[in-house]
Amino acid sequence: MSTLLLALLASVASLAYGVFLIWGVLKKSPGDEKMVAIQKAIQEGAAAYLGRQNKTVLWVGIPAALVMWKALGFPIAVGFVVGAVASAVAGYIGMMVAVRANARVANEAKLGLKRAFAMGFKGGAVTGFFVVGLALLSLTLFYWWSGDVKALIGLGFGASLISIFARLGGGIFTKGADVGADLVGKVEHGIPEDDPRNPAVVADLVGDNVSDCAGMAADVFETYVVSALSVMLLGSLLFGNNPAIVEFPLFIGALGVFASIIGSLFVRLTKGIMAALYKGLGATAVILVGLFYWATRSMTIGEINSMGLFWALLIGIVVTALMVLVTDYYTSKSFSPVKKIAKASTTGHGTNIIAGLAVSMESTALPVLVIAGAMFFAYSIAGLYGIALATMSMLSLTGLILAIDSFGPITDNAGGIAEMSGLPKEVREHTDALDAVGNTTKAVTKGYAIASAGLAAMVLFAAYTQELSEFGRTVVFELSDIRVLIGLFVGGMMPYLFGSLAMQSVGKAAGAVVDEVRRQFKEIPGIMSGHAKPDYSTAVDIVTRAALREMIMPALIPIAAPVLVGFILGPEALGGLLVGVIVTGLFVAISMTSGGAAWDNAKKYIEDGNYGGKGSDAHKAAVTGDTVGDPYKDTAGPAINPMIKVANIVALLIARFL
């Protein structure tokens, strides 16, 4: 069987398994009339936002497609459209299943923790397998049609553009609503999280889906596509346009699909919730090790023998495992970093912020050492192509990783529905247990996505240098060259400017929500007593408009900066920019995502009854820390991931003109 046919079969299998999981979700009852009404409100809000977001992106996407058609040719323009549409579809399907799964998780929680857990994972797995299936299908069919590996760059750019808008827009939406709801509801009025009396509660629940489901799906779709095409492109540049070498990453992706489907069957709640999820991930990894050995046992690429290929692929599996463990350590309630932040909350808001920032910065050290070690060993074994294979190996676990991630917002929403519909205390205890783990899973998968983005970006940078050589430009990147230094500084600045704009956007959106919630509490008598119903739709509309307005400017930074630097200062400066954005982007993204999750779980640790529990001074300080951490972990940090790759892809697109 040819590689392309196997990849096509695997992508269809992934999509078919996703459809089977959808059937398993929808056949369960969403609960009583009140639960169905809340779910419908979340569903309608999420669909309305995503529709308006995609219409906004069209104003950028259509001119971009026309420019690429004129400047780069029809195949690249078609690839751009295919990548953008497939990314949007992946996000939409994942989100729409998630908003239907949340009420069903809450309803299953009436029957026990195991039933609720199974439903939460099943709903999350839909997103995981649909994203992988669509990504592999897009790559395979487009390459089959075009026969040109360089045309795949257009596919990656389309996916990246959707991803950065989805991450930014969804992140601004969810955290604007979340922060606004917490500041007035929890802090000023002392009402619980997800209390139906809070006018921003529906907007908060909608935000979880548009950010952590649709946004994450688009992000991982883009990561998968860009990583795969970077390996395919580098293989063609290093070893000639040999179909067997160019298509090898698709073969690895196909093996990952089959391993992930089998691995998902091992996810069963027996001891701990996290242990159950890790069981499936571990089974997938073990299966993949065997498949990788089988796939490479008689294969040689250039001077790289079969064992060199196998060890490079194995490094990717090891990096994934280590990133999961390290991120879990810094973000889980079970370990000292989160407990330190919780303890610091007992002495006030300021000490909570100091402790959270310290953990945020510390959390970069081990992941960066893991990534650096992986690059060293992979390069030692198989050169640049070894780093590329390690990256693709990481992506072979995407189905399970994304399933674990999407588990988080589904269980979070389930807890909200349980609270809003007045379900018994024991039901909320089950959903709270799932939600606490879900917060860690979201952080873990973000760490994985950032690590794979870092490795993929290095591969893209290598492809950029190789492509310059293809066009007759021999470029040496030396620190003694002022152009390289300027590029380094500009690239190093970009993640900070990007993150700043994203954080400010959340602040503006949250401020508008705070004003609206205060207005409703003041002007609508009976909300606090429960005799009057808040106007949920106004808060949803406020954060929708804020997200769509504020996401444009940051998203243009990784597009405009490489173009300006490349054409004004030349390819040397552009190379420096790429290195700068990769290095600082990696640090900023890890710091924000891990630190934000640690702040959030420190709050939850106190809510479990530690240091005075809910309503204590320590809890109030922890809420403040969580308010800072929310845009860290769910807006700015994750959006830096696609931002890094957008900059590198733009460099590849314009290399021929420099």
Side-chain angles (χ1 to χ4, degrees), residues 4 10 41 76 134 187 206 284 304 376 440 505 560 611 641 650 657:
L4 292 180
I76 288 181
L134 284 169
V187 178
V206 170
T284 304
I304 311 169
F376 175 80
T440 299
S505 297
Y611 300 118
N641 174 20
V650 170
F657 303 110

Side-chain angles (χ1 to χ4, degrees), residues 360-392:
S360 163
M361 289 186 280
E362 182 189 326
S363 68
T364 63
L366 287 176
V368 168
L369 289 175
V370 168
I371 294 168
M375 288 194 293
F376 175 80
F377 287 112
Y379 186 86
S380 301
I381 293 167
L384 286 173
Y385 197 66
I387 298 174
L389 287 181
T391 306
M392 197 62 215

Side-chain angles (χ1 to χ4, degrees), residues 216-279:
M216 186 64 178
D219 185 0
V220 175
F221 177 93
E222 178 259 356
T223 297
Y224 193 104
V225 167
V226 171
S227 299
L229 77 87
S230 66
V231 181
M232 295 170 73
L233 181 61
L234 187 64
S236 70
L237 292 171
L238 291 175
F239 306 109
N241 204 18
N242 185 329
I245 296 173
V246 172
E247 295 167 10
F248 186 58
L250 300 178
F251 184 65
I252 298 299
L255 296 181
V257 167
F258 296 124
S260 296
I261 291 173
I262 298 170
S264 69
L265 304 177
F266 286 82
V267 179
R268 294 286 186 275
L269 185 59
T270 52
K271 296 181 180 179
I273 299 169
M274 206 71 193
L277 297 169
Y278 284 166
K279 193 188 301 179

